Amino acid sequence: MDIKRVKDYIYWLYYQYLLITCSYVLEPWERSMFHTIIVTVFAMVVYTAYVFVPIHVRLAFAFFSQIFGGQPESTV
């Protein structure tokens, strides 16, 4: 794969991000604050999904298996 094509594609994706968020009209200091906030929120969402989603999926599986006639854990 050509490095120049990958570099151009990354620049194109970044330009699309700037257009979608309308952050291309911000001043440089405002843009850096905006990007910092976006990255922080994204990191918190990923962390929350990593920590809490598996717990909720396990509890939902246990709940629905009990409702639909699964055997309780103590008898297995």
Side-chain angles (χ1 to χ4, degrees), residues 19-32:
L19 288 176
I20 289 170
T21 60
C22 296
S23 60
Y24 63 92
V25 296
L26 299 175
E27 293 183 14
W29 70 271
E30 292 172 331
R31 190 178 301 164
S32 67

Side-chain angles (χ1 to χ4, degrees), residues 2-76:
D2 190 18
I3 300 296
K4 185 177 180 341
R5 288 184 59 195
V6 171
K7 184 178 169 184
D8 289 340
Y9 182 68
I10 291 173
Y11 283 141
W12 180 79
L13 285 177
Y14 180 68
Y15 183 68
Q16 292 297 314
Y17 165 74
L18 290 177
L19 288 176
I20 289 170
T21 60
C22 296
S23 60
Y24 63 92
V25 296
L26 299 175
E27 293 183 14
W29 70 271
E30 292 172 331
R31 190 178 301 164
S32 67
M33 290 298 293
F34 178 75
H35 293 320
T36 302
I37 292 169
I38 292 294
V39 167
T40 303
V41 168
F42 182 73
M44 287 190 296
V45 166
V46 168
Y47 174 75
T48 302
Y50 177 74
V51 171
F52 294 111
V53 168
I55 296 168
H56 290 298
V57 168
R58 183 178 51 84
L59 290 173
F61 179 71
F63 175 75
F64 286 117
S65 67
Q66 188 178 26
I67 287 179
F68 294 120
Q71 294 179 350
E73 281 188 29
S74 61
T75 62
V76 174

